[in-house]
Amino acid sequence: ADEFLTNFSRGLHNNGAFLPWHRGYLLQVENQLRDISPNITIPYWDWSRNPQISQDSIWGDEPGQFSGNGGADRCVTDGPFGTGSGFELTNGRCLQRRITGGSAASAAEVQNLLDRYPSASDYDQFRNRLEHGPGMHDSVHCLVGGTMCSARASNDPVFFLHHAMVDKIWADWQ
């Protein structure tokens, strides 16, 4: 998480490095997790299946869920990533969330992106739309809000599932 924060403003966004750098970052994290258990993999969160992300079953306090919204101070207190479970950011602060009622891209909108830029020569247009287009990468970060909509986004465990989805879309395009 701290490596991501260090590199956040060093040219890894808004250009062709965005997708390959994040793919490598996910692999690095996944390999570190595999040192703990060789069966671990980072799944993708397919927000296109339920674009109203505030209603997605990923949020909740049960095992396998990723906690939910924060309180008045936006700090998440319950669930596996709440302060009640001892979870904190690398700077010692609480995980913050303010999950809004906005929408991520639907499966049809993701497919439209893939169809709109079908060739390798379309990479930069495709990458730009995936990174900044409505309901895509940037939007989902800020629909989750709080920590996810900041330079410390990689401190939120859902960051990795979100970027695995972005990587899946890129893999589908490839």
Side-chain angles (χ1 to χ4, degrees):
D2 285 338
E3 178 185 328
F4 182 84
L5 181 62
T6 299
N7 289 302
F8 180 79
S9 61
R10 293 191 179 163
L12 299 175
H13 293 84
N14 304 310
N15 64 56
F18 172 74
L19 293 171
W21 188 90
H22 283 82
R23 178 174 284 175
Y25 181 62
L26 287 175
L27 180 60
Q28 181 182 11
V29 170
E30 194 170 62
N31 285 336
Q32 289 176 347
L33 291 171
R34 286 182 180 147
D35 287 344
I36 298 166
S37 173
N39 298 326
I40 292 178
T41 187
I42 297 174
Y44 62 88
W45 168 33
D46 189 350
W47 32 255
S48 72
R49 289 180 51 201
N50 188 2
Q52 294 293 322
I53 68 163
S54 64
Q55 299 170 17
D56 198 296
S57 62
I58 195 170
W59 311 119
D61 298 338
E62 299 299 318
Q65 292 182 308
F66 281 76
S67 298
N69 257 333
D73 60 357
R74 297 187 185 173
C75 286
V76 175
T77 57
D78 298 326
F81 301 107
T83 55
S85 297
F87 185 82
E88 60 184 34
L89 307 185
T90 57
N91 64 2
R93 296 189 178 152
C94 68
L95 172 65
Q96 293 186 335
R97 292 220 182 106
R98 187 174 181 198
I99 303 167
T100 67
S103 294
S106 67
E109 290 167 321
V110 170
Q111 187 60 52
N112 183 51
L113 172 68
L114 298 170
D115 294 343
R116 186 172 179 186
Y117 304 109
S119 66
S121 62
D122 296 328
Y123 172 77
D124 199 54
Q125 292 169 294
F126 165 80
R127 186 266 327 146
N128 186 55
R129 190 74 173 179
L130 177 55
E131 186 176 359
H132 304 298
M136 301 286 180
H137 167 263
D138 290 353
S139 297
V140 173
H141 270 279
C142 290
L143 288 169
V144 174
T147 304
M148 268 288 280
C149 192
S150 76
R152 288 201 174 272
S154 62
N155 275 243
D156 188 330
V158 83
F159 168 94
F160 297 97
L161 282 70
H162 168 50
H163 273 273
M165 175 60 174
V166 170
D167 190 62
K168 179 203 179 302
I169 294 169
W170 183 34
D172 291 346
W173 177 83
Q174 290 174 311

